[in-house]
């Protein structure tokens, strides 16, 4: 009568694949049993015990490189190692929960990529009568600013909040919204650019770029991705922005060049 299990039977009983058993052998986690008289390796109860122990620890998240030492350790070392594994698993669980939360936020809309202050500013734009497309454009610009120029983001928000509290500037912003439908050669764009630059220069301190941002070798590219976002869809807006930047540079403001 032949006692012991073939590798296929051992794998099935341990709920793993034959390939996994052989991998455990190569790593030295489970010793290969001796061959019987027919040349087959037969897995006995001790072999199965070790195989089940390795499979259980691996399934619990213990790295394979640590399992051999763990199983060969004394009770105290084993308990301490399991505590360490549990701590790492908890860290991993927290990381996965946070990733899931990010996915839920993304599913709920891009606005959840922004802090509450930025969302409040966007809500204020809507309350002031700006169209949904204009609010969406500002939202996208804020998302880009937060991701690409985090060192500028807070000052950018302060500037927006002040502007939204200034009725004169709000009126100019509404003209900018209307200007998107103008011909890019409309002379009113020059007048609007002059009015905007004068208003911005009244709070010149808000226009300065942090030194940490200016020190970036790719500062101009980052600035362009934000400040010229979607200009390809609105030629008049692109022209207005060009005129405004030229006026600010002429006044000594350090505006990145594209």
């Amino acid at each position: 009568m032949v006692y012991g299990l073939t590798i296929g039977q051992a794998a099935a009983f341990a709920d793993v694949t034959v390939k996994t058993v052989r991998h455990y052998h190569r790593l030295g986690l489970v010793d290969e049993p001796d061959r019987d008289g027919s040349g087959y390796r037969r897995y006995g109860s001790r072999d199965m015990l070790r195989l089940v122990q390795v499979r259980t620890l691996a399934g619990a998240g213990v790295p394979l490189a640590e399992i051999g030492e763990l199983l060969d350790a004394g009770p105290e070392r084993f308990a301490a190692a399991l505590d360490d594994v549990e701590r790492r698993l908890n860290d991993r669980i927290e990381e996965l929960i946070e990733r899931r939360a990010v996915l839920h936020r993304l599913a709920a809309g891009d606005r959840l990529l922004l802090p509450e202050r930025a969302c409040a500013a966007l809500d204020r734009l809507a309350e002031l009568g700006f169209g949904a497309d204009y609010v969406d454009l500002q939202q996208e610009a804020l998302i880009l600013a937060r991701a690409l120029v985090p060192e500028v983001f807070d000052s950018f928000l302060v500037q927006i909040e002040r502007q939204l509290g200034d009725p004169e500037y709000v009126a100019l912003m509404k003209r900018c919204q209307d200007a998107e439908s103008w011909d890019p050669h409309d002379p009113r764009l020059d007048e609007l650019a002059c009015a905007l630059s004068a208003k911005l220069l009244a709070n010149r301190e808000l226009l300065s770029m942090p030194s940490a941002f200016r020190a970036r070798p790719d500062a101009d590219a980052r600035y362009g991705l934000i400040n010229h976002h979607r200009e390809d869809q609105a030629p008049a807006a692109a022209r207005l922005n060009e005129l405004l930047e030229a006026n600010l540079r002429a006044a000594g403001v350090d505006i990145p060049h594209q």
Side-chain angles (χ1 to χ4, degrees):
M1 184 173 181
V2 178
Y3 292 95
L5 306 173
T6 65
I7 188 171
Q9 291 172 320
F13 283 17
D15 197 23
V16 294
T17 65
V18 170
K19 182 178 180 181
T20 297
V21 175
R22 287 179 173 147
H23 185 54
Y24 290 166
H25 287 329
R26 285 194 296 273
L27 294 177
L29 297 176
V30 177
D31 291 335
E32 288 188 282
D34 294 332
R35 298 182 184 276
D36 62 13
S38 302
Y40 292 100
R41 296 190 185 279
R42 296 287 175 176
Y43 292 76
S45 58
R46 290 178 63 84
D47 301 314
M48 285 302 304
L49 175 63
R50 181 75 175 196
L51 180 57
V52 169
Q53 288 173 328
V54 172
R55 184 262 294 163
T56 301
L57 289 173
V62 180
L64 291 179
E66 300 177 18
I67 288 178
E69 181 182 355
L70 189 58
L71 287 176
D72 295 335
E76 291 185 4
R77 166 77 182 98
F78 186 82
L82 286 185
D83 287 340
D84 182 60
V85 171
E86 182 179 6
R87 177 187 57 77
R88 281 182 282 169
L89 284 174
N90 286 332
D91 290 343
R92 179 62 175 160
I93 289 169
E94 290 178 5
E95 178 187 347
L96 291 173
I97 290 173
E98 177 57 29
R99 289 186 182 184
R100 184 179 63 183
V102 170
L103 289 176
H104 286 171
R105 290 198 295 271
L106 287 172
D110 281 348
R111 182 171 289 202
L112 293 173
L113 295 172
L114 294 169
E116 185 57 37
R117 277 181 64 196
C119 293
L122 294 170
D123 289 338
R124 183 59 182 152
L125 279 172
E127 291 169 3
L128 289 169
F130 288 90
D133 287 344
Y134 186 85
V135 175
D136 286 346
L137 175 62
Q138 300 307 312
Q139 176 178 310
E140 291 172 0
L142 284 168
I143 292 171
L144 286 171
R146 190 184 191 198
L148 299 178
V149 288
E151 57 272 79
V152 178
F153 187 72
D154 284 344
S155 59
F156 187 32
L157 269 182
V158 170
Q159 183 175 344
I160 291 174
E161 289 166 345
R162 288 195 186 183
Q163 291 167 350
L164 293 177
D166 182 345
E168 292 183 3
Y169 195 87
V170 169
L172 287 172
M173 290 173 69
K174 288 187 175 180
R175 286 195 67 197
C176 291
Q177 180 182 235
D178 295 338
E180 291 186 2
S181 63
W182 297 353
D183 184 281
H185 301 293
D186 192 316
R188 290 178 296 173
L189 290 173
D190 294 87
E191 298 171 6
L192 182 53
C194 288
L196 279 169
S197 58
K199 197 67 178 173
L200 289 171
L201 289 168
N203 293 289
R204 194 185 187 99
E205 72 279 2
L206 295 177
L207 300 177
S208 61
M209 297 283 183
S211 57
F213 170 68
R214 294 303 295 157
R216 287 180 178 270
D218 57 357
D220 291 359
R222 289 173 182 264
Y223 171 84
L225 287 170
I226 300 164
N227 206 51
H228 297 277
H229 175 55
R230 271 214 252 171
E231 281 189 351
D232 57 323
Q233 302 173 30
R239 177 60 179 159
L240 176 61
N241 209 8
E242 178 185 349
L243 293 168
L244 176 59
E245 288 185 342
N247 289 345
L248 293 176
R249 289 192 187 101
V253 178
D254 184 16
I255 301 292
H257 287 271
Q258 298 307 297

